[in-house]
Amino acid sequence: WSIGVTLVGLGPTTGDNKMMTLFSNGNNAIFLRRGGTNWGMYVTGDANLQHGANTWYAPNATSRLLFTYDATSYRLKYYLGDPASGTYAMRANLLVNSNTRVNQVGTSLCVGKAVSTNIGGIAWDGGVNNLIISDQTLVGPQVDEFFQTGEDFTTHEYYPDLTSYARLGEDTYPAVVDSKGNATG
């Protein structure tokens, strides 16, 4: 699977090491640890098991983030890029351990909703835009295209492979529209 967003604003970037929940489903979550220059990427399977990678790179208020997971290799990759220049780099390539892979999923995918862990967990502090979700792992040219400048994701080669695409920034809260029509609620 793949999930990505473009940041629109970012809360305090102090090195308080808070686990900011970016995506969650039940007690499964992807976090970025707010740590000054080292915003490590962490995952949890049951709100107690954490597995992560120090990245030594911090997102900025306009960064683009992409997470891809390959269920055959158990690899979760984290890409961080700058949509103004179209540049990006893979910042983590994590082998997800077996304890984290076997957890129950919930009924809703949440963006920014806090998931508490045994080391803390807070809601995402900042805005997000252009949410893409796919049940396929984006690779190679698809990743390149995701990080291109501009925001017209509907013209991208991988757009037909997306299960959901929500522009987010164009709607009045709490209305969120999935242009693919699959995400409800």
Side-chain angles (χ1 to χ4, degrees), residues 91-115:
R91 297 298 178 201
N93 184 349
L94 183 67
L95 176 62
V96 178
N97 68 36
S98 61
N99 292 335
T100 309
R101 293 193 301 252
V102 297
N103 294 288
Q104 297 277 345
V105 297
T107 57
S108 298
L109 174 67
C110 300
V111 178
K113 182 179 178 184
V115 170

Side-chain angles (χ1 to χ4, degrees), residues 33-173:
R33 177 174 243 162
R34 189 169 57 194
T37 58
N38 182 22
W39 282 55
M41 184 270 301
Y42 290 83
V43 295
T44 185
D46 69 0
N48 291 311
L49 297 167
Q50 281 88 29
H51 193 62
N54 290 321
T55 66
W56 298 105
Y57 290 90
N60 64 45
T62 59
S63 289
R64 195 163 284 163
L65 313 174
L66 178 66
F67 299 86
T68 65
Y69 181 71
D70 184 323
T72 303
S73 67
Y74 305 115
R75 289 292 198 187
L76 176 64
K77 295 179 181 179
Y78 163 50
Y79 300 88
L80 174 63
D82 176 12
S85 66
T87 60
Y88 72 94
M90 184 189 327
R91 297 298 178 201
N93 184 349
L94 183 67
L95 176 62
V96 178
N97 68 36
S98 61
N99 292 335
T100 309
R101 293 193 301 252
V102 297
N103 294 288
Q104 297 277 345
V105 297
T107 57
S108 298
L109 174 67
C110 300
V111 178
K113 182 179 178 184
V115 170
S116 294
T117 69
N118 61 351
I119 58 172
I122 63 171
W124 183 256
D125 194 353
V128 295
N129 200 5
N130 295 314
L131 170 69
I132 67 158
I133 302 170
S134 179
D135 58 3
Q136 299 179 31
T137 305
L138 298 184
V139 295
Q142 296 168 322
V143 175
D144 293 343
E145 194 172 32
F146 176 77
F147 285 101
Q148 287 179 354
T149 60
E151 296 192 14
D152 188 6
F153 291 83
T154 60
T155 62
H156 289 185
E157 175 222 333
Y158 60 79
Y159 184 76
D161 297 327
L162 296 180
T163 55
S164 295
Y165 170 62
R167 295 182 339 170
L168 300 180
E170 288 72 18
D171 298 312
T172 304
Y173 178 82

Side-chain angles (χ1 to χ4, degrees), residues 10-20 31-40 42 122-125:
L10 191 59
T13 57
T14 59
D16 62 6
N17 292 316
K18 298 277 185 175
M19 299 287 272
M20 292 194 346
F31 305 93
L32 291 184
R33 177 174 243 162
R34 189 169 57 194
T37 58
N38 182 22
W39 282 55
Y42 290 83
I122 63 171
W124 183 256
D125 194 353

